[in-house]
Amino acid sequence: MRWVCLALVFLAIPIHGQPNNGSDTLVWGAYRPNLYFGLRPRIKQSLMTGLMWFGVQDYKSVEKTRHACDQGDGLDSYTWTTYDAREGGVQVIKDSRNNVKLSTQFLKVPGGEHGGSWAARIKGEPLDPARPSRNSIIFYAGMDGLGGLDMDTEEDENGIEGPISFSGTSPGLDDFTLRIVDGPDNEPITDGPHANAFAERAGKTHVAGIRVPSGSIWQAREHILQNIIKHGSEAIGPYREHPSGPPDPSFIFQLSDDVYSGSSLYAVQKLVNGPFQIDIFFESASAKQKLTSAILDEGIQALTTSYNERFDKVFPVPPTYQANDLESIKSFSKAITSNLVGGIGYFYGTSIVDKGFAFEWDQDEDAEETEEKGARLTEPRDLLTATPSRSFFPRGFYWDEGFHLLHIGEWDNDLSLEILKDWVGLIDDNGWVGREQILGEEARSKVPQEFQTQVPTFANPPTLAMAVTAFINRLKAHQTGPSDQDLGMDFGLQDAQFPLGQVTPASSHSRYLEDAELSLLYLKSIYTPLKRHYDWFRRTQRGQIKQYGRKARSRTEAYRWRGRSKDHVLTSGMDDYPRGPPHAGELHLDLISWMAFFSRTMRDIADFIGEVDDAAAFRDIEKATLDNIEDLHWSEENKMYCDANVNDEDESYHVCDKGYLSLFPFLLSLLPTDSPHLGPILDLLRDPEHLWSPYGLRSLSASHPLFGQGENYWKGPIWIQMNYLALGALYKTYGAQEGPYQQRAKEIYAELRKNIIDNVHKEYERTGYVWEQYDPISGEGRRSHPFTGWTSLVTLIISEKY
Ligand SMILES: *[C@@H]1O[C@H](CO)[C@@H](O)[C@H](O)[C@H]1NC(C)=O
């Protein structure tokens, strides 16, 4: 163990003046999480790969070709069960329509100067061995941008036997080869109606080389299916009215075996009967390593073993957790964490911004007429980010990301910093970041047009502040607690001892925690843009105090979300939560609470990097903000925190709708433990007539007239990230520190935690998925799935990491 520490210290020594932060181990990944399986490098325009499959048991399945994750496909389940961004992972996909259980295995092999090599294995077996399982499996690779890809294996108009090789080069990857090899026991499809007539092509591997314009490899599915349909309609010609019926679909739905010169997209098709295995090897030339199936055999085994060991150390189930289904809870926890990390994507492209848009109540009369009215495309940007849902929301969402990073940061601190750095990099000169990052055409293709445009006066809850605070807390804990090595972070390839010529030292998940200088540099590098972002919030989301005769200790700290419509405050993240009518004089409780939290984070980071004057200023603002939460938002009459609004007589009044909104000062641990307002908050959340359910806290009181009404998005359903905040406040603050409500907080914590874990786990077992939200009456999973964004926080809830 000790020498590994030394090796790490050595690694952190600056090479070419740059400290090695381990980002070279993050070049390749399943960074196309919108696909069931798609590998690409974290390079702007480069090699893109993907998997497609359809059944050939009938003529209809081809229309249901699986490629991009789609709820309409009706798969029984799909999730990474093991995934580590630096090592690789294993995904299990169950597709009962095609009677196949697929496993996609991905093994990263470090070496060379261009992000290393990798091997992937696609394995399949029938879900039900008693039924036929005949499938067409297609793997493709295409080059976007500069560089090229050629097929080295000789073409044959009837298909190819044996391995198929490609070689390519691109500016970021340099020279590489790609090889596709059958497993030893694959059974090709050679039987079926009219087998004799198709004997020459049956049982072979089919290919196509297609020319597609740069930047459109993401449309591979359409290009490839077009090729298959064209070939198929020619092949079926003579059999259209055949007395003995049509040929077996497997003879018809084949790639054409044409490879056009100058092709940038190549597809390789295997038609398999029953269990099969296909290995794909990407060898980076500078790594000078030959990959083999034996490396996959051993490497995947070693990867899963060490992943499981490390997982149990990083996310232990506390001994106090009494469950007779402990093993099931553990594999559930691994699956949701793996699918969160395996759901990280790398995106590149333009987005749409309208600088001139403003609702009537947001219009600033003093503002100069901007010359940039209307929606426009921006310069392309790139972003490494987790995604809320691989099927439904496969792109970056600002307020989700802060929660994602809490979870990712526990597993792989340095990966969370890479992602955070990319998001901070999006903060523009004014300090603004778009709420949804819809970068490029592929991302846009999943978003209805009315949601594509971002407006630079619109905000979103500043959850990135949570990620910064969490990192600083980890740094502080690391100075006193066990090191990452002690937690067994060194695993995978280096332990496997398989025959790689040259094995690099242990990859690390926490170089920044080990190296005080590296972390200080990092915090300094994000400080300036983060401060600009914070100032942008204070400047652009300010609320009015004195205009309406409001009395408050601070004359400045009041906030209002811009960009709300009559029925929605999308910017708040709680879209349709009842908020009263729009008015320029509204004050929003959640936003002022977030701002107090943000000020606290800014104070933490300023303290940490020695910006003493700034730290003092942030402390003052924090204090003023906390005072004003009391002065502007507490309703003594209703005994709760509320929004404030303005009536027709220009008088201020409180808008009080019992629900998540009412909890904010508590959720973010802004109230002192002896606050007299804590009791009423705990009463509200523990009351089954209001927020309490056996499945978690409801977003809106069950007694509210709008409960369950309208689109019912935030009008009752249970959201896991909000419950996570509540649990965190109870565990870390109100149950941990002395105060009149400590005992009560502890009791509520234990009950709420159990309710959340039990229900999300039960629904996962029942449906195969974790869900965006849960029904406030029945607890059933609702809306998008899999939703391994913030619903995956259940792992942190199980292991009590808040
Ligand atoms: C890690 O180092 C690389 C190369 O110097 C750099 O591009 C990247 O931004 C660094 N990552 C972080 C999180 O600072």
Side-chain angles (χ1 to χ4, degrees):
M1 212 44 100
R2 284 298 115 193
W3 73 266
V4 177
C5 299
L6 288 176
L8 273 169
V9 171
F10 176 73
L11 273 176
I13 289 172
I15 302 164
H16 315 304
Q18 284 281 344
N20 182 350
N21 60 18
S23 68
D24 53 330
T25 61
L26 296 172
V27 172
W28 278 99
Y31 293 144
R32 305 182 72 197
N34 57 314
L35 304 189
Y36 291 116
F37 185 60
L39 305 176
R40 66 167 295 174
R42 189 185 172 193
I43 296 173
K44 284 172 188 163
Q45 287 183 302
S46 190
L47 191 65
M48 307 262 274
T49 73
L51 174 72
M52 300 164 46
W53 76 95
F54 57 87
V56 286
Q57 73 281 11
D58 58 43
Y59 269 80
K60 283 240 160 281
S61 297
V62 69
E63 291 166 18
K64 285 257 167 211
T65 299
R66 282 74 163 89
H67 178 237
C69 303
D70 184 346
Q71 289 174 194
D73 286 345
L75 299 195
D76 315 52
S77 64
Y78 55 99
T79 186
W80 290 95
T81 54
T82 299
Y83 196 92
D84 183 275
R86 299 170 198 277
E87 312 277 342
V90 176
Q91 177 180 227
V92 178
I93 304 172
K94 292 185 186 158
D95 180 3
S96 55
R97 188 189 196 286
N98 295 312
N99 191 26
V100 65
K101 177 174 148 188
L102 290 169
S103 148
T104 66
Q105 310 181 343
F106 168 45
L107 184 71
K108 294 172 71 164
V109 185
E113 281 98 57
H114 300 281
S117 304
W118 51 263
R121 174 168 288 173
I122 319 294
K123 262 176 98 142
E125 59 182 88
L127 276 168
D128 173 2
R131 279 173 45 217
S133 172
R134 292 155 75 101
N135 283 284
S136 154
I137 313 292
I138 296 171
F139 182 82
Y140 69 82
M143 185 64 83
D144 261 341
L146 298 178
L149 188 61
D150 291 307
M151 191 166 104
D152 298 335
T153 309
E154 201 171 326
E155 293 172 49
D156 186 313
E157 59 176 13
N158 284 323
I160 297 170
E161 282 174 303
I164 300 190
S165 306
F166 301 88
S167 54
T169 188
S170 82
L173 295 172
D174 213 57
D175 294 344
F176 63 85
T177 61
L178 199 60
R179 219 158 11 98
I180 300 174
V181 180
D182 274 318
D185 304 318
N186 291 6
E187 190 188 316
I189 305 179
T190 49
D191 61 336
H194 301 290
N196 283 342
F198 294 91
E200 270 195 316
R201 291 180 60 81
K204 307 247 178 82
T205 302
H206 302 290
V207 299
I210 306 169
R211 271 177 270 179
V212 307
S214 176
S216 45
I217 299 295
W218 68 275
Q219 289 166 314
R221 180 184 187 271
E222 283 61 45
H223 291 292
I224 291 168
L225 284 181
Q226 223 171 45
N227 180 288
I228 289 177
I229 300 300
K230 183 159 176 291
H231 170 85
S233 52
E234 283 160 19
I236 204 168
Y239 301 91
R240 283 196 193 278
E241 306 286 322
H242 204 280
S244 55
D248 190 87
S250 70
F251 304 144
I252 299 302
F253 295 125
Q254 296 180 346
L255 286 168
S256 65
D257 291 302
D258 293 318
V259 176
Y260 295 100
S261 66
S263 292
S264 52
L265 171 65
Y266 295 86
V268 174
Q269 178 188 35
K270 311 267 180 191
L271 292 143
V272 287
N273 190 4
F276 68 91
Q277 174 180 308
I278 302 163
D279 291 347
I280 301 142
F281 302 105
F282 172 91
E283 291 161 359
S284 174
S286 70
K288 300 193 173 62
Q289 292 161 347
K290 181 96 180 144
L291 303 183
T292 62
S293 295
I295 286 180
L296 265 170
D297 295 340
E298 290 181 46
I300 291 295
Q301 182 75 44
L303 169 65
T304 45
T305 306
S306 49
Y307 179 88
N308 289 342
E309 279 169 17
R310 181 166 178 262
F311 193 93
D312 288 344
K313 285 178 185 148
V314 177
F315 296 120
V317 181
T320 48
Y321 186 78
Q322 299 290 327
N324 30 21
D325 52 358
L326 191 63
E327 283 315 306
S328 166
I329 285 278
K330 276 190 186 170
S331 60
F332 160 68
S333 183
K334 276 174 201 158
I336 57 182
T337 300
S338 294
N339 212 51
L340 169 69
V341 181
I344 292 171
Y346 174 74
F347 302 90
Y348 172 74
T350 58
S351 45
I352 302 177
V353 170
D354 185 344
K355 292 191 177 165
F357 179 83
F359 286 97
E360 182 193 324
W361 38 86
D362 290 341
Q363 261 151 21
D364 179 354
E365 270 136 41
D366 307 331
E368 291 162 39
E369 190 68 17
T370 141
E371 66 278 31
E372 293 191 80
K373 266 198 175 13
R376 280 158 211 254
L377 282 181
T378 64
E379 288 294 303
R381 300 298 303 262
D382 69 332
L383 177 67
L384 186 71
T385 181
T387 54
S389 164
R390 290 175 55 195
S391 58
F392 210 79
F393 300 112
R395 53 190 173 275
F397 281 75
Y398 178 102
W399 97 286
D400 299 62
E401 200 58 14
F403 289 97
H404 299 159
L405 291 179
L406 296 181
H407 190 167
I408 294 168
E410 286 296 324
W411 174 251
D412 187 335
N413 175 73
D414 296 1
L415 172 60
S416 77
L417 298 188
E418 287 288 329
I419 295 173
L420 178 62
K421 186 169 184 171
D422 268 13
W423 274 94
V424 168
L426 295 177
I427 297 170
D428 73 8
D429 292 344
N430 292 320
W432 173 73
V433 186
R435 170 160 60 92
E436 258 187 71
Q437 291 296 323
I438 314 166
L439 302 177
E441 282 179 55
E442 181 170 20
R444 255 192 308 279
S445 71
K446 283 273 195 168
V447 186
Q449 205 176 355
E450 69 263 33
F451 296 117
Q452 289 182 1
T453 303
Q454 305 291 301
V455 179
T457 49
F458 293 5
N460 212 202
T463 58
L464 294 185
M466 296 195 306
V468 175
T469 297
F471 172 47
I472 292 175
N473 289 342
R474 280 194 296 274
L475 273 173
K476 288 178 179 162
H478 194 77
Q479 286 155 6
T480 48
S483 75
D484 200 22
Q485 286 91 8
D486 297 337
L487 289 175
M489 122 253 95
D490 49 305
F491 68 88
L493 292 172
Q494 34 305 325
D495 295 344
Q497 308 215 330
F498 48 76
L500 294 179
Q502 169 197 0
V503 169
T504 57
S507 60
S508 171
H509 302 83
S510 57
R511 281 181 205 186
Y512 285 85
L513 299 181
E514 305 287 332
D515 183 337
E517 200 184 319
L518 202 56
S519 51
L520 195 60
L521 272 175
Y522 180 85
L523 286 173
K524 283 185 174 164
S525 77
I526 63 168
Y527 181 68
T528 306
L530 203 61
K531 185 162 181 284
R532 198 162 68 234
H533 189 40
Y534 171 78
D535 290 339
W536 176 89
F537 267 94
R538 294 194 67 228
R539 194 173 66 244
T540 66
Q541 309 294 305
R542 179 146 302 222
Q544 302 173 337
I545 301 177
K546 58 177 189 299
Q547 283 87 333
Y548 305 103
R550 290 165 171 150
K551 296 215 166 31
R553 277 169 277 179
S554 157
R555 286 185 305 152
T556 53
E557 299 311 308
Y559 291 92
R560 171 169 73 91
W561 296 109
R562 300 307 195 269
R564 69 162 293 179
S565 65
K566 240 165 111 279
D567 298 319
H568 291 102
V569 189
L570 299 180
T571 44
S572 75
M574 302 198 295
D575 302 14
D576 64 333
Y577 191 96
R579 308 291 296 234
H583 192 287
E586 275 180 277
L587 298 179
H588 293 131
L589 171 63
D590 49 342
L591 184 51
I592 192 173
S593 302
W594 283 116
M595 289 312 293
F597 184 86
F598 202 169
S599 301
R600 199 170 271 185
T601 298
M602 292 309 296
R603 185 195 73 191
D604 282 349
I605 182 171
D607 266 339
F608 207 91
I609 64 172
E611 293 284 348
V612 183
D613 294 347
D614 282 6
F618 294 132
R619 186 166 295 117
D620 290 346
I621 302 172
E622 180 192 338
K623 165 83 170 57
T625 313
L626 293 175
D627 287 345
N628 275 12
I629 291 176
E630 297 301 322
D631 296 350
L632 297 167
H633 292 280
W634 175 256
S635 161
E636 190 53 34
E637 187 191 340
N638 292 287
K639 291 269 176 278
M640 62 189 273
Y641 291 97
C642 307
D643 282 343
N645 211 327
V646 175
N647 65 19
D648 293 342
E649 275 77 55
D650 271 2
E651 291 160 343
S652 183
Y653 69 99
H654 282 129
V655 179
C656 300
D657 296 288
K658 293 191 172 91
Y660 286 161
L661 184 80
S662 335
L663 309 179
F664 259 87
F666 153 82
L667 292 178
L668 297 175
S669 288
L670 302 176
L671 299 179
T673 50
D674 60 357
S675 164
H677 300 159
L678 192 55
I681 286 193
L682 295 179
D683 289 343
L684 171 65
L685 75 79
R686 184 60 190 79
D687 188 344
E689 301 280 306
H690 294 296
L691 306 194
W692 189 262
S693 87
Y695 319 108
L697 302 176
R698 303 173 177 129
S699 46
L700 194 64
S701 159
S703 311
H704 194 286
L706 292 176
F707 176 74
Q709 299 297 303
E711 70 200 65
N712 189 23
Y713 200 34
W714 288 80
K715 290 195 171 91
I718 296 161
W719 291 83
I720 300 305
Q721 89 283 22
M722 303 303 278
N723 279 274
Y724 174 83
L725 288 179
L727 286 166
L730 293 165
Y731 184 81
K732 280 201 308 201
T733 309
Y734 303 107
Q737 298 167 16
E738 241 167 75
Y741 305 102
Q742 186 179 15
Q743 194 48 37
R744 181 110 201 273
K746 280 185 177 172
E747 286 161 16
I748 295 177
Y749 168 78
E751 265 187 290
L752 180 58
R753 171 168 175 262
K754 183 170 182 343
N755 289 349
I756 293 286
I757 298 172
D758 286 355
N759 189 57
V760 176
H761 176 237
K762 180 188 88 202
E763 285 296 288
Y764 177 75
E765 294 286 308
R766 187 179 73 84
T767 64
Y769 291 103
V770 298
W771 296 74
E772 181 176 4
Q773 47 172 232
Y774 293 86
D775 188 279
I777 305 288
S778 68
E780 285 180 9
R782 292 280 181 256
R783 299 198 184 230
S784 11
H785 56 279
F787 195 96
T788 43
W790 57 37
T791 303
S792 298
L793 290 167
V794 174
T795 292
L796 300 188
I797 295 173
I798 291 172
S799 58
E800 304 195 283
K801 300 207 179 246
Y802 302 103

